Structure formats: structure tokens, C-alpha cells
Amino acid sequence: MKRRIIARATVSATLVAALSVSLCASLAGCSRGGEGEARPADALETSSWAQPPLIEAAMRDGPMVVVRGRAGPDARVVLRGADGAAVAVGADASGRFELRVPATSGDIRLTPEVQVGEDAAPSPETLVLIRGGAGPIALIAAGEPTVRLDGQGMLDAVDSDGSAVIVSGLAAGTAPTVLIDGVRAVVVEASGGRWRATAPGGAPAVIEVGGVRFEFPGFGAQSDFTPVRAGQGWRLTWPTGPSGRQTTWLPDRAP
């Protein structure tokens, strides 16, 4: 059955939280909290189960991409590419880790995981580096708002499964007002300054965030993780199940 992002124009904060909890329950080892924010660091320390690593930053550094984050103390952290190639490092006693991945001019897709003996705890998130990190860098996950890692703008991403959209971003203060085709959307604030708004739809739409206008190009037809230019940004669509798919649109950042 297709996993859908359930939304209504008048959705309440309680319903949005319940939606995230439900989606996370369907994903083994979900790495985000109920409001779509990154998993709290204390969850890595209090759970007796192996937890997937938490990616906190990723950036291009010359011929390498530097990925930093947290995992369990002394955990073995792995970033596995779509072709099966992997790089690994041991986290320190506080759980901090830094991995360096050779950069290419093409797109890079990496799955974070923690190895425990012969077993692995993969993350439901995928780290995507468009143009090897020269373009947008983001963490995507089925049914969840995308977390953008390359700088900050008024709007991080628009996610859609064709029947609903999630508009999300990061604010230094109060979450911005969001209009979708002129209709004000309910904005839910999460920890760390992250916010999101949900609404029905998936067709091209004009989205205003804090008075700044963005033209969402709509749900994508592809489903192979290939980033393509769409309007003033990048659109990435990937499969989320036997018949479902999700689109993430990443607007261009100001130079």
C-alpha cells in the first residue's frame, strides 16, 4: 500500500504530531522525533538498542565531503553508497564522529548505519549531495520533511507524495507565515528552530514563506533518485514502497 503524507488545510498541531509518530512507527529505527526534527542526542545515550547515526553536518572540502554527527559511544559508523561501496569510522567516547568521503562531480547518495558485530542498524534517512556537494545537501526520508544541510534560506524544501505537501525550513526566531496558493497554512514549530506546514495537493503551486515567493514545480514523474533542475531549484523523486514515491524540491540558495 502506498505510504501517503496525510494532510488537511486545517490540520491541527496535535494531528501533525500524530502523523509523524505513525510514520516513524512504520520505519524501523526511525531517526527523527514526532515533529520531524533530528533525533535528540540524549536518545543515542539512553537506549539499550543500537541506534542509527545522527547526521548533523555535511560539507564539501576540496576533494572530500566531510560528514559529522553523533552515534553511540565508540560505535562503528558507516556511510554506504548506492553501489555498495562504504567508508567507516569509529565514534569517540562521547559518540562524536567525522567521516571523509571522496567527492565526485556527480550526485552522491549515502545511507548512514551503525555496525554492531555482524549486524547493522541502518538509518531510514538518506544523505543526498547533488553535484558532489557543490549543489544542495539534504537528508531525505519517506513521509518526513527534508532536512537541508547546505546553508540557510527562508524555505528548505517542499516534499510531496502527490496527494499532500509538507513545506519546511529552519527559522532563527518565530516560524514564518506560509501561504500556499494564497491560502494560509498551519505552521508547526519543532525543536531547534525547525518548522513545517502541511496542505493537500501535489500540483505546481505558489508558496510564500515570510513574504518570499517560491514556485513549487509540482510532484515529479521520475522515481530513480536522479536530481533534475525544476524551476528555480532541484527536484528529486524516489520510490517509497511497491507503488509509492516521494518528491523533494530544493529551492536554490542565494549566492
Side-chain angles (χ1 to χ4, degrees):
M1 180 179 293
K2 179 178 178 181
R3 179 184 290 113
R4 291 186 177 273
I5 307 171
I6 305 171
R8 295 180 185 276
T10 57
V11 65
S12 68
T14 302
L15 181 56
V16 171
L19 168 61
S20 291
V21 171
S22 174
L23 287 168
C24 283
S26 68
L27 299 170
C30 183
S31 65
R32 301 194 191 175
E35 299 293 341
E37 72 274 20
R39 185 176 70 255
D42 57 8
L44 297 171
E45 300 170 354
T46 59
S47 174
S48 61
W49 295 92
Q51 294 282 345
L54 169 63
I55 304 299
E56 296 178 323
M59 64 195 74
R60 182 75 177 258
D61 183 16
M64 309 294 289
V65 174
V66 180
V67 181
R68 298 187 179 97
R70 294 198 66 182
D74 304 314
R76 180 174 174 78
V77 180
V78 179
L79 289 179
R80 194 172 302 280
D83 60 356
V87 292
V89 71
D92 64 20
S94 65
R96 292 286 179 184
F97 68 84
E98 178 179 295
L99 274 163
R100 291 181 172 266
V101 182
T104 67
S105 59
D107 306 314
I108 300 173
R109 176 160 47 101
L110 301 166
T111 300
E113 64 180 49
V114 162
Q115 288 186 342
V116 182
E118 296 183 356
D119 297 325
S123 172
E125 297 174 326
T126 299
L127 177 62
V128 175
L129 300 100
I130 296 177
R131 291 186 174 177
I137 302 174
L139 285 166
I140 61 173
E144 291 286 349
T146 292
V147 174
R148 194 86 176 256
L149 299 177
D150 58 309
Q152 186 172 351
M154 290 299 296
L155 171 65
D156 274 2
V158 180
D159 291 277
S160 177
D161 67 352
S163 64
V165 293
I166 300 178
V167 181
S168 61
L170 181 66
T174 304
T177 298
V178 176
L179 302 178
I180 302 177
D181 282 338
V183 179
R184 185 165 180 168
V186 175
V187 176
V188 177
E189 297 185 63
S191 65
R194 296 207 171 273
W195 59 265
R196 73 181 188 178
T198 60
V206 174
I207 297 174
E208 293 184 44
V209 179
V212 180
R213 178 187 174 105
F214 300 88
E215 295 188 9
F216 172 53
F219 189 59
Q222 292 178 287
S223 59
D224 57 0
F225 282 97
T226 301
V228 296
R229 288 294 296 174
Q232 298 299 307
W234 291 88
R235 183 167 58 191
L236 174 71
T237 305
W238 73 95
T240 57
S243 60
R245 66 184 192 273
Q246 181 168 328
T247 284
T248 294
W249 183 65
L250 305 165
D252 293 334
R253 297 295 202 201

